[in-house]
Amino acid sequence: MFNNYGQSYQEQRMQQLMEQKQMKDFMRMYSNLVGRCFDDCVSDFTSNKLSEKELSCTNRCTLKNMKLNERVGQRFAEESAKMMEDQARMAQ
């Protein structure tokens, strides 16, 4: 059974599961980032606003972690592509 895009039900279901896992992984990463930066940067609970020092720290922390995650993602993509090339060569 195929839909308009030529995908079977199983392919559609697999795509949905992959998207759900990606969203779950993203939310876990985001939650860890918020927790880590909050714990590292926020220390004054006498005000309902962040101090300049806390704000600067959270901005640096967030940027640093986002760059780290981007770099890890790039390396993962590179290694994944290399593995696929190696497998293709071995299959020939």
Side-chain angles (χ1 to χ4, degrees), residues 32-43 45 50 58 61:
N32 288 339
L33 170 66
V34 169
R36 183 179 309 119
C37 292
F38 181 86
D39 291 344
D40 288 351
C41 297
V42 179
S43 58
F45 298 99
L50 294 174
T58 55
C61 179

Side-chain angles (χ1 to χ4, degrees), residues 78-91:
E78 290 169 3
E79 289 298 316
S80 192
K82 183 180 173 187
M83 287 175 55
M84 290 179 77
E85 288 173 4
D86 291 347
Q87 287 176 350
R89 263 194 302 263
M90 291 174 60

Side-chain angles (χ1 to χ4, degrees), residues 4-92:
N4 293 340
Y5 299 105
Q7 289 184 320
S8 70
Y9 172 78
Q10 289 177 333
E11 289 171 328
Q12 289 178 6
R13 184 67 182 135
M14 181 62 73
Q15 182 69 27
Q16 288 174 338
L17 291 172
M18 288 174 52
E19 289 171 3
Q20 288 173 352
K21 182 177 180 349
Q22 286 175 337
M23 180 57 76
K24 187 176 179 179
D25 289 345
F26 172 78
M27 293 305 294
R28 184 180 312 118
M29 180 190 75
Y30 179 78
S31 179
N32 288 339
L33 170 66
V34 169
R36 183 179 309 119
C37 292
F38 181 86
D39 291 344
D40 288 351
C41 297
V42 179
S43 58
D44 181 9
F45 298 99
T46 60
S47 172
N48 63 352
K49 294 183 182 181
L50 294 174
S51 69
E52 284 298 318
K53 180 180 175 186
E54 291 170 330
L55 186 57
S56 176
C57 179
T58 55
N59 286 338
R60 280 192 318 273
C61 179
T62 302
L63 184 61
K64 182 177 182 178
N65 281 283
M66 288 176 65
K67 285 182 178 181
L68 170 69
N69 285 321
E70 180 182 351
R71 187 170 176 142
V72 168
Q74 288 172 343
R75 294 296 177 255
F76 178 78
E78 290 169 3
E79 289 298 316
S80 192
K82 183 180 173 187
M83 287 175 55
M84 290 179 77
E85 288 173 4
D86 291 347
Q87 287 176 350
R89 263 194 302 263
M90 291 174 60
Q92 292 178 347

